[in-house]
Amino acid sequence: EGAAPAYGWTEETVLARAGFQTFLGDGVVVRPQAPPRYDLAPGLRACLTEVTAAQLAGHNRVGAVAGIVAGWLDTTLPFDTRSVAVHVRHGAGQHESAAAVVVAIDGDDAPRPAAHIATHEGSVLVFAVQPGTAPTVRTRDNAHAVVTGVLGHGDTAAAAETDLNAASFGIRLGAGPAPAAKVLIVSEPIAAEAGR
């Protein structure tokens, strides 16, 4: 029996824009607090329908008392999700900052991870989620920690922790163009139709 599939995004994942504040990936819907505005981000004009998760996070900035800060990012995962792994890049000794990037899961503010696993670039926080729901994970980068991926898994948190180094959580999701990029729309003016 193979491992349960993982759905979500990593920094390299290509997300297709489905609306002003809605981006679609491999089994995931991502909604930034401050979606990219192409009039303010000329470098993104060439990618009107697709951005990488890193580009989306980089342009997700909001004004606050402290100045311009990272906005939150909501990631909604499939209904069969039973655990969530949040990949966080941080410096040595910044484990508390890593845990603080997960703001809420399905409205549960400041959830506690079932596991906190050290990696070469930071941590992976594994959370158990209520089965039979499509969990929404709200994350926000802070001064010491950056979210580099949110992946939902069909196994329990304990099984996901055991399989963490296996293919399910280690894959690079959506590294190629999103299917929406393959759509070609051809239209003719209405006046041309009337003349036929």
Side-chain angles (χ1 to χ4, degrees):
E1 184 176 318
Y7 300 97
W9 60 268
T10 62
E11 289 181 306
E12 300 88 6
T13 301
V14 177
L15 301 170
R17 192 170 205 158
F20 179 69
Q21 194 173 3
T22 304
F23 295 81
L24 305 176
D26 184 14
V28 66
V29 177
V30 180
R31 291 185 178 92
Q33 182 177 5
R37 289 187 42 197
Y38 299 108
D39 57 331
L40 300 177
L44 289 181
R45 286 190 186 137
C47 41
L48 289 174
T49 59
E50 293 182 343
V51 295
T52 65
Q55 288 173 316
L56 184 62
H59 288 278
N60 185 22
R61 299 289 181 250
V62 295
V65 174
I68 304 297
V69 298
W72 46 256
L73 200 62
D74 281 348
T75 302
T76 303
L77 298 160
F79 278 98
D80 61 350
T81 301
R82 295 181 65 200
S83 61
V84 174
V86 179
H87 296 243
V88 184
R89 183 173 44 244
H90 61 80
Q94 297 293 333
H95 297 293
E96 287 182 25
S97 294
V101 299
V102 181
V103 177
I105 297 179
D106 281 342
D108 176 15
D109 295 338
R112 296 183 54 90
H116 190 138
I117 303 163
T119 67
H120 68 282
E121 66 175 20
S123 299
V124 176
L125 308 170
V126 181
F127 297 87
V129 295
Q130 198 70 342
T133 65
T136 297
V137 180
R138 178 167 285 184
T139 57
R140 182 192 309 259
D141 296 347
N142 61 45
H144 303 288
V146 175
V147 177
T148 60
V150 175
L151 299 173
H153 199 279
D155 281 336
T156 63
E161 180 184 357
T162 302
D163 292 342
L164 191 60
N165 293 321
S168 292
F169 280 128
I171 59 175
R172 292 185 179 214
L173 299 169
K182 305 299 182 200
V183 175
L184 176 65
I185 299 173
V186 179
S187 64
E188 294 181 24
I190 295 175
E193 295 281 332
R196 289 185 181 176

